[in-house]
Amino acid sequence: MLRTPGALRFCSTSFLARLPFAICGLAIVLLVSSSSGSYALAGAMAAAFALAAASCSLFTSRWVDRLGQHRVLPLLALGHASALVGLVLAVTSSSPIPLQFLMAMLSGATQPAIGPAVRARWSFVLVGNPVGLRSAYALESILDEAIFTVGPLITTTLALHFALPSPLILAAVLTLVGVGLLAPQRATEPPATARSIDEHRSAIRMPGMAVVSCTAIGIGSVFGSYEVSTVAFASSLDQEALSGPLLAIWALASGLAGLWYGSRHWNAPLPRQLAAFAGLLCLALLPAPFVPSVPLLVLVTLVSGAAVAPTLIAIFSLVERLVPGAQLTESLTWANSGLAVGFSAGVSIAGAIIDRAGPSWSFTLSIASAALATVLAVTFSGRLQRAERPVEPHAPTTARNVDLLPGPQPGTFIDPAQ
């Protein structure tokens, strides 16, 4: 996939731009819980951040589709970095709680949706090649898991051994640098699209999109509840420094599973794959509420993490098959927003459970969330199969489909068997 013209450049620069996604949520939990002594407040603050990011990215992604990534992403990056600095100042100066929430929401509202933007680039350069695109989405999920392997380690190391606000400052810098390097890459940027008759309705109204987004909410809730539960569980054993490595193990297992999943051609329809891997995630989480020690939680984390990347790959691959190309960034953002909404609910509800009953009970929320995603995927599998669109037969004619790097052009990746 990285031999695709321009891919190595936009993948490497987007890695920097996406790394803050694996930093901000955990950094807010660590900063606010240490400052206030309340996991409920920390979870609510992280939820406010994620919920604002989920809701506002639906609008900013439309601007990206209409105006182009090079115009919209830099403005969002500047606003996001400024708001993160404001959040740090509000929390460390013990400003009124409403002001802290406001800064958290502003930080989330201006967060650039880098993942959908990069997946839209893949869809642009691999038009007409669904097998290649599936592999590209697998690569994206592996990179996401690499980010969520490195991110928690960076966050806990900086927060616990340097200064609690330092991870959020680093996130602001990485956003500015990453977007500053990604946005000028015009050769692989999907062209801005004029509003068509079909686009007058939101992408969420396209057949099957609501089901996929709701399934993503369940998976996102797994992420949020498991993250804050892991931090609280390690803290309850006076091993808070191990929370970062535990979350890194979760992401590492997911990344390895993504390599396995993405390197194979699957005959089963995408909706069935989604149902199967969501079900495996639910089963793997079942022992979590009963583990008495960190080593046993490591085992549960390894097994359950292996089901994450295949589930996410199936979700994003389904989105690409459900919507027209002109609404792809918006549609991918709906899936991302579903994950963020679920994360918000998971981290806030789990935080409240932890304060009242302890971290072991909060792991049950992860199980219930995975079960909800599984039920949705199984129930609507047939509807999703019927809603899939046929593969576009060839790449569009556009000057931006030309890349000066040597190597095969996107059209040469078309599988003659399709």
Side-chain angles (χ1 to χ4, degrees):
M1 287 299 98
L2 292 177
R3 294 192 186 103
T4 306
L8 181 59
R9 286 188 294 169
F10 71 69
C11 278
S12 58
T13 54
S14 69
F15 186 90
L16 291 177
R18 281 184 285 184
L19 191 53
F21 285 77
I23 293 176
C24 289
L26 180 58
I28 291 172
V29 169
L30 291 174
L31 177 61
V32 177
S33 63
S34 297
S35 301
S36 66
S38 171
Y39 279 101
L41 179 61
M45 195 88 68
F49 173 91
L51 192 58
S55 55
C56 291
S57 63
L58 297 174
F59 298 99
T60 58
S61 64
R62 283 195 172 192
W63 299 344
V64 169
D65 281 334
R66 306 291 184 271
L67 303 176
Q69 295 183 13
H70 69 283
R71 289 191 177 98
V72 178
L73 293 182
L75 295 176
L76 292 173
L78 183 60
H80 181 59
S82 301
L84 283 178
V85 173
L87 173 60
V88 168
L89 293 175
V91 175
T92 55
S93 63
S94 300
S95 297
I97 297 299
L99 179 59
Q100 295 182 33
F101 270 95
L102 176 62
M103 296 311 302
M105 294 174 68
L106 284 175
S107 301
T110 52
Q111 188 175 49
I114 303 298
V118 173
R119 285 178 171 88
R121 286 179 183 252
W122 277 116
S123 183
F124 175 65
V125 300
L126 293 177
V127 164
N129 181 10
V131 175
L133 189 60
R134 184 82 59 83
S135 295
Y137 284 166
L139 174 62
E140 283 300 303
S141 289
I142 293 166
L143 290 175
D144 283 340
E145 299 309 335
I147 288 167
F148 279 93
T149 301
V150 175
L153 294 175
I154 293 174
T155 303
T156 53
T157 300
L158 289 178
L160 300 179
H161 299 289
F162 184 64
L164 284 169
S166 56
L168 290 176
I169 300 299
L170 176 62
V173 174
L174 288 173
T175 300
L176 290 173
V177 173
V179 172
L181 294 173
L182 174 65
Q185 298 179 37
R186 301 289 301 280
T188 54
E189 178 187 348
T193 56
R195 190 176 183 87
S196 66
I197 295 176
D198 192 40
E199 291 176 84
H200 280 288
R201 59 175 178 169
S202 171
I204 195 63
R205 297 176 62 187
M206 303 298 294
M209 272 301 302
V211 174
V212 174
S213 297
C214 289
T215 304
I217 290 175
I219 300 300
S221 181
V222 174
F223 298 161
S225 57
Y226 200 84
E227 178 174 297
V228 71
S229 298
T230 298
V231 173
F233 183 81
S235 297
S236 69
L237 300 177
D238 295 324
Q239 295 177 310
E240 187 177 17
L242 293 179
S243 57
L246 276 168
L247 296 173
I249 288 170
W250 165 283
L252 179 61
S254 178
L256 294 174
L259 282 171
W260 168 77
Y261 176 85
S263 64
R264 285 160 174 76
H265 177 67
W266 299 86
N267 293 322
L270 277 172
R272 292 184 186 177
Q273 294 179 43
L274 175 58
F277 285 110
L280 287 174
L281 177 60
C282 181
L283 291 175
L285 288 169
L286 288 176
F290 308 103
V291 296
S293 63
V294 170
L296 288 177
L297 186 60
V298 168
L299 181 61
V300 174
T301 300
L302 275 170
V303 177
S304 58
V308 170
T311 306
L312 293 177
I313 294 168
I315 286 174
F316 286 115
S317 298
L318 258 177
V319 170
E320 193 274 336
R321 295 295 296 273
L322 292 174
V323 300
Q327 289 179 281
L328 184 59
T329 306
E330 180 192 348
S331 303
L332 290 168
T333 304
W334 271 107
N336 254 18
S337 295
L339 293 171
V341 168
F343 180 91
S344 302
V347 73
S348 57
I349 297 173
I353 294 174
I354 290 166
D355 280 356
R356 296 179 182 178
S360 293
W361 280 98
S362 65
F363 281 118
T364 61
L365 179 60
S366 302
I367 299 171
S369 302
L372 171 63
T374 304
V375 169
L376 287 171
V378 171
T379 302
F380 295 99
S381 178
R383 181 180 298 181
L384 289 173
Q385 284 183 245
R386 292 191 295 271
E388 288 187 66
R389 289 170 172 260
V391 178
E392 297 181 42
H394 54 77
T397 302
T398 171
R400 271 184 271 181
N401 200 28
V402 178
D403 195 294
L404 297 179
L405 290 178
Q409 293 302 307
T412 61
F413 286 87
I414 298 176
D415 187 348
Q418 297 300 318

